[in-house]
């Protein structure tokens, strides 16, 4: 069976964050740039793209640099650690199937000036990523209790938005409302595509040194799917909803790859302890380092 490489829709930064969450988060270590280049090459990502991603993430405050001799190592910042911890919760604790919904909805209404087209676009994009769907043009809804205070503060729109908790009336057709407010066919297609792509690996194994990269791609693609899922209550979704099968496939393949991936990480990764006195804003160019 051939090596699985990254899908075109999977950005190198998403892959990098997944790699760091898997190998660096919670360990107080930095990883050598050459190790990252090697692992990413096995996932089909070129050296220049990997180096550029590292440089951009440093400039955005998502990575810190630490030089050891002629080698440059990269570690997490507080910002990236928070992002990765959220992703870890989403994969391993929240899950893809919402069986425990208590009937609560979060309603968010907004009214912005007509000239604020960019702000309206940014708000709608953020709401979509936070699990909201449009009930009406200026009224959005999400299952459960969703805290949007940080989102609104970031956009500077708190004064233009009202947030409520609500329950549906007894005669409300929740299933119909869900179909009108969210693109269920698109979400189901993503789950189906994930299952078809990864199910063969439930019985196959990659070459030993490719296992780390393969598991990295698996996790990054899975997170990309479930982050677009508002976790709608399964009781009100179509009976053949594919999220559960996709999650079973993810967990089965991950479990199968993990022993090999751990062995590969010991062979392929050069890690050093974080030095508290290292200059996080070093001007040294990571692209100039020896791989």
């Amino acid at each position: 069976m051939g090596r699985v490489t990254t899908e075109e829709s999977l950005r190198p930064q998403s892959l990098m964050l997944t790699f760091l969450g898997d190998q660096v988060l919670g360990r107080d270590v930095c990883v050598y740039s050459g190790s990252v280049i090697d692992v990413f090459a096995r996932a089909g990502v070129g050296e220049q793209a990997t180096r550029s991603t590292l440089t951009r993430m440093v400039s955005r405050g998502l990575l810190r640099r630490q030089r050891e001799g002629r080698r440059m190592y990269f570690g997490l910042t507080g910002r990236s650690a928070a992002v990765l911890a959220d992703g870890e919760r989403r994969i391993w604790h929240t899950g893809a199937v919402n069986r425990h919904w208590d009937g609560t909805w979060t309603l968010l209404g907004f009214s912005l000036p007509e000239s604020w087209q960019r702000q309206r676009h940014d708000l709608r994009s953020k709401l979509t990523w936070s699990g909201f769907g449009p009930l009406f043009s200026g009224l959005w809804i999400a299952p459960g209790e969703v805290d949007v205070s940080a989102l609104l503060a970031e956009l500077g729109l708190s004064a233009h938005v009202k947030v409520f908790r609500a329950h549906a009336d007894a005669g409300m057709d929740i299933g119909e409302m869900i179909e009108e407010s969210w693109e269920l066919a698109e979400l189901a297609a993503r789950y189906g595509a994930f299952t078809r792509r990864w199910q063969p690996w439930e019985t196959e194994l990659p070459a030993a040194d490719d296992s780390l990269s393969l598991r990295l791609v698996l996790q990054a693609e899975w997170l990309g799917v479930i982050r677009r899922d508002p976790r709608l209550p399964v009781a009100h979704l179509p009976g053949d909803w594919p999220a559960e099968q996709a999650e079973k496939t993810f967990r089965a393949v991950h479990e199968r790859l993990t022993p090999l991936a751990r062995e590969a990480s010991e062979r392929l990764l050069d890690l050093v302890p974080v030095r508290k006195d290292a200059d996080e804003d070093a001007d040294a160019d990571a692209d100039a380092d020896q791989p």
Side-chain angles (χ1 to χ4, degrees):
M1 186 171 180
R3 180 188 301 178
V4 170
T5 56
T6 56
E7 290 187 323
E8 292 182 3
S9 60
L10 188 62
R11 296 182 304 160
Q13 179 171 304
S14 299
L15 197 66
M16 187 70 71
L17 286 169
T18 304
F19 171 80
L20 294 168
D22 190 48
Q23 298 295 327
V24 177
L25 181 65
R27 300 180 62 185
D28 210 26
V29 297
C30 296
V31 59
Y32 170 45
S33 60
S35 298
V36 182
I37 289 167
D38 186 4
V39 171
F40 275 45
R42 296 172 187 274
V45 180
E47 178 176 344
Q48 187 56 46
T50 303
R51 289 188 181 276
S52 297
T53 300
L54 288 168
T55 300
R56 285 196 303 271
M57 291 179 69
V58 169
S59 67
R60 295 181 59 193
L62 292 170
L63 287 179
R64 67 190 299 278
R65 290 174 178 162
Q66 179 172 310
R67 184 180 289 280
E68 300 288 340
R70 297 183 62 191
R71 293 189 166 190
M72 187 67 76
Y73 293 76
F74 292 82
L76 300 178
T77 62
R79 180 183 172 192
S80 56
V83 171
L84 295 176
D86 179 67
E88 186 175 57
R89 285 191 298 271
R90 189 70 175 86
I91 290 176
W92 299 113
H93 302 292
T94 305
V97 181
N98 186 353
R99 296 187 181 88
H100 307 294
W101 179 61
D102 64 359
T104 302
W105 297 92
T106 298
L107 287 173
L108 183 146
F110 63 89
S111 179
L112 305 180
E114 287 297 324
S115 60
W116 287 18
Q117 294 183 8
R118 180 185 59 79
Q119 291 92 333
R120 186 176 290 103
H121 174 269
D122 290 347
L123 176 59
R124 287 172 173 167
S125 297
K126 292 282 189 180
L127 290 177
T128 299
W129 278 97
S130 298
F132 284 82
L135 194 58
F136 299 106
S137 60
L139 183 63
W140 288 54
I141 188 169
E145 296 190 8
V146 183
D147 184 359
V148 294
S149 55
L151 179 158
L152 297 176
E154 177 186 348
L155 297 175
L157 296 177
S158 299
H160 299 271
V161 174
K162 300 293 185 290
V163 182
F164 304 88
R165 310 296 181 205
H167 286 79
D169 227 25
M172 175 73 181
D173 189 333
I174 294 177
E176 181 180 1
M177 183 273 290
I178 285 175
E179 290 184 2
E180 292 174 349
S181 301
W182 283 275
E183 296 290 341
L184 293 187
E186 181 181 331
L187 182 57
R190 284 197 291 265
Y191 277 122
F194 180 90
T195 300
R196 290 190 298 273
R197 176 167 162 82
W198 288 99
Q199 209 164 38
W201 290 98
E202 291 187 36
T203 55
E204 297 286 343
L205 286 175
D209 283 350
D210 290 341
S211 56
L212 178 59
S213 299
L214 188 65
R215 192 180 66 162
L216 171 63
V217 175
L218 169 74
Q219 292 179 196
E221 290 185 7
W222 178 241
L223 186 57
V225 173
I226 61 176
R227 273 190 166 160
R228 290 173 171 83
D229 186 346
R231 297 196 75 249
L232 298 162
V234 70
H236 297 285
L237 290 171
D240 58 350
W241 190 243
E244 185 169 14
Q245 180 56 57
E247 187 165 50
K248 287 180 179 177
T249 294
F250 165 73
R251 291 181 178 272
V253 176
H254 189 276
E255 182 177 359
R256 187 168 176 79
L257 291 175
T258 290
L260 284 175
R262 286 175 177 165
E263 294 174 5
S265 67
E266 293 178 0
R267 292 191 298 271
L268 300 175
L269 301 186
D270 177 4
L271 303 170
V272 297
V274 169
R275 283 191 289 108
K276 302 302 182 184
D277 60 344
D279 184 6
E280 296 186 16
D281 299 317
D283 293 327
D285 184 0
D287 291 341
D289 288 314
Q290 297 293 325

